[in-house]
mmCIF file of all heavy atoms in Angstrom:
data_model
loop_
_atom_site.group_PDB
_atom_site.id
_atom_site.type_symbol
_atom_site.label_atom_id
_atom_site.label_comp_id
_atom_site.label_asym_id
_atom_site.label_seq_id
_atom_site.Cartn_x
_atom_site.Cartn_y
_atom_site.Cartn_z
ATOM 1 N N ILE A 1058 -19.436 -8.604 128.403
ATOM 2 C CA ILE A 1058 -19.181 -9.915 127.737
ATOM 3 C C ILE A 1058 -18.885 -10.879 128.910
ATOM 4 O O ILE A 1058 -18.034 -10.604 129.769
ATOM 5 C CB ILE A 1058 -17.989 -9.854 126.775
ATOM 6 C CG1 ILE A 1058 -18.393 -9.072 125.519
ATOM 7 C CG2 ILE A 1058 -17.549 -11.303 126.370
ATOM 8 C CD1 ILE A 1058 -17.321 -8.955 124.481
ATOM 9 N N LYS A 1059 -19.538 -11.994 128.929
ATOM 10 C CA LYS A 1059 -19.256 -13.034 129.944
ATOM 11 C C LYS A 1059 -18.843 -14.311 129.204
ATOM 12 O O LYS A 1059 -19.532 -14.691 128.266
ATOM 13 C CB LYS A 1059 -20.477 -13.333 130.813
ATOM 14 C CG LYS A 1059 -20.272 -14.515 131.767
ATOM 15 C CD LYS A 1059 -21.249 -14.594 132.850
ATOM 16 C CE LYS A 1059 -21.095 -15.885 133.637
ATOM 17 N NZ LYS A 1059 -20.438 -15.711 134.925
ATOM 18 N N LEU A 1060 -17.731 -14.915 129.637
ATOM 19 C CA LEU A 1060 -17.284 -16.168 128.964
ATOM 20 C C LEU A 1060 -16.950 -17.189 130.001
ATOM 21 O O LEU A 1060 -16.314 -16.913 131.026
ATOM 22 C CB LEU A 1060 -16.025 -15.827 128.157
ATOM 23 C CG LEU A 1060 -16.166 -14.838 126.996
ATOM 24 C CD1 LEU A 1060 -14.802 -14.491 126.403
ATOM 25 C CD2 LEU A 1060 -17.135 -15.329 125.947
ATOM 26 N N VAL A 1061 -17.367 -18.428 129.767
ATOM 27 C CA VAL A 1061 -17.060 -19.582 130.614
ATOM 28 C C VAL A 1061 -16.368 -20.605 129.762
ATOM 29 O O VAL A 1061 -16.886 -21.105 128.783
ATOM 30 C CB VAL A 1061 -18.332 -20.160 131.259
ATOM 31 C CG1 VAL A 1061 -17.986 -21.442 132.020
ATOM 32 C CG2 VAL A 1061 -19.013 -19.161 132.129
ATOM 33 N N TYR A 1062 -15.092 -20.924 130.187
ATOM 34 C CA TYR A 1062 -14.253 -21.869 129.401
ATOM 35 C C TYR A 1062 -14.321 -23.189 130.116
ATOM 36 O O TYR A 1062 -13.892 -23.338 131.252
ATOM 37 C CB TYR A 1062 -12.824 -21.325 129.402
ATOM 38 C CG TYR A 1062 -11.788 -22.036 128.591
ATOM 39 C CD1 TYR A 1062 -10.992 -21.368 127.667
ATOM 40 C CD2 TYR A 1062 -11.565 -23.412 128.712
ATOM 41 C CE1 TYR A 1062 -10.013 -22.038 126.932
ATOM 42 C CE2 TYR A 1062 -10.596 -24.071 128.030
ATOM 43 C CZ TYR A 1062 -9.842 -23.385 127.102
ATOM 44 O OH TYR A 1062 -8.854 -24.078 126.374
ATOM 45 N N SER A 1063 -14.834 -24.219 129.419
ATOM 46 C CA SER A 1063 -14.903 -25.560 129.996
ATOM 47 C C SER A 1063 -13.771 -26.398 129.474
ATOM 48 O O SER A 1063 -13.500 -26.395 128.262
ATOM 49 C CB SER A 1063 -16.264 -26.203 129.704
ATOM 50 O OG SER A 1063 -16.235 -27.559 130.083
ATOM 51 N N HIS A 1064 -13.137 -27.181 130.315
ATOM 52 C CA HIS A 1064 -12.161 -28.177 129.856
ATOM 53 C C HIS A 1064 -12.814 -29.284 129.050
ATOM 54 O O HIS A 1064 -12.133 -30.085 128.407
ATOM 55 C CB HIS A 1064 -11.421 -28.795 131.045
ATOM 56 C CG HIS A 1064 -10.339 -27.921 131.560
ATOM 57 N ND1 HIS A 1064 -9.560 -28.254 132.676
ATOM 58 C CD2 HIS A 1064 -9.859 -26.687 131.186
ATOM 59 C CE1 HIS A 1064 -8.663 -27.295 132.903
ATOM 60 N NE2 HIS A 1064 -8.833 -26.339 132.001
ATOM 61 N N ILE A 1065 -14.145 -29.401 129.180
ATOM 62 C CA ILE A 1065 -14.892 -30.464 128.477
ATOM 63 C C ILE A 1065 -14.931 -30.066 126.939
ATOM 64 O O ILE A 1065 -15.623 -29.141 126.560
ATOM 65 C CB ILE A 1065 -16.269 -30.696 129.010
ATOM 66 C CG1 ILE A 1065 -16.200 -31.022 130.529
ATOM 67 C CG2 ILE A 1065 -17.018 -31.844 128.270
ATOM 68 C CD1 ILE A 1065 -17.542 -31.085 131.188
ATOM 69 N N ASP A 1066 -14.083 -30.699 126.198
ATOM 70 C CA ASP A 1066 -13.913 -30.394 124.758
ATOM 71 C C ASP A 1066 -13.596 -28.953 124.483
ATOM 72 O O ASP A 1066 -13.797 -28.422 123.374
ATOM 73 C CB ASP A 1066 -15.194 -30.821 123.976
ATOM 74 C CG ASP A 1066 -15.292 -32.350 123.860
ATOM 75 O OD1 ASP A 1066 -14.201 -33.020 123.664
ATOM 76 O OD2 ASP A 1066 -16.409 -32.864 123.931
ATOM 77 N N ARG A 1067 -13.135 -28.250 125.532
ATOM 78 C CA ARG A 1067 -12.690 -26.863 125.435
ATOM 79 C C ARG A 1067 -13.747 -25.948 124.753
ATOM 80 O O ARG A 1067 -13.396 -25.034 124.015
ATOM 81 C CB ARG A 1067 -11.337 -26.771 124.690
ATOM 82 C CG ARG A 1067 -10.262 -27.498 125.517
ATOM 83 C CD ARG A 1067 -8.846 -27.175 125.102
ATOM 84 N NE ARG A 1067 -7.869 -27.799 125.985
ATOM 85 C CZ ARG A 1067 -7.465 -27.295 127.177
ATOM 86 N NH1 ARG A 1067 -7.905 -26.081 127.528
ATOM 87 N NH2 ARG A 1067 -6.650 -27.914 127.961
ATOM 88 N N ILE A 1068 -14.990 -26.167 125.094
ATOM 89 C CA ILE A 1068 -16.000 -25.263 124.573
ATOM 90 C C ILE A 1068 -16.022 -23.962 125.451
ATOM 91 O O ILE A 1068 -15.812 -24.043 126.711
ATOM 92 C CB ILE A 1068 -17.422 -25.890 124.616
ATOM 93 C CG1 ILE A 1068 -18.408 -25.002 123.855
ATOM 94 C CG2 ILE A 1068 -17.890 -26.173 126.038
ATOM 95 C CD1 ILE A 1068 -19.720 -25.662 123.553
ATOM 96 N N ILE A 1069 -16.184 -22.855 124.843
ATOM 97 C CA ILE A 1069 -16.404 -21.613 125.555
ATOM 98 C C ILE A 1069 -17.857 -21.191 125.313
ATOM 99 O O ILE A 1069 -18.340 -21.150 124.139
ATOM 100 C CB ILE A 1069 -15.462 -20.485 125.093
ATOM 101 C CG1 ILE A 1069 -14.013 -20.797 125.462
ATOM 102 C CG2 ILE A 1069 -15.872 -19.116 125.665
ATOM 103 C CD1 ILE A 1069 -13.002 -19.790 124.977
#
Side-chain angles (χ1 to χ4, degrees):
I1058 288 179
K1059 173 166 174 102
L1060 298 172
V1061 174
Y1062 185 128
S1063 170
H1064 279 178
I1065 303 173
D1066 288 321
R1067 296 195 175 273
I1068 190 168
I1069 292 176

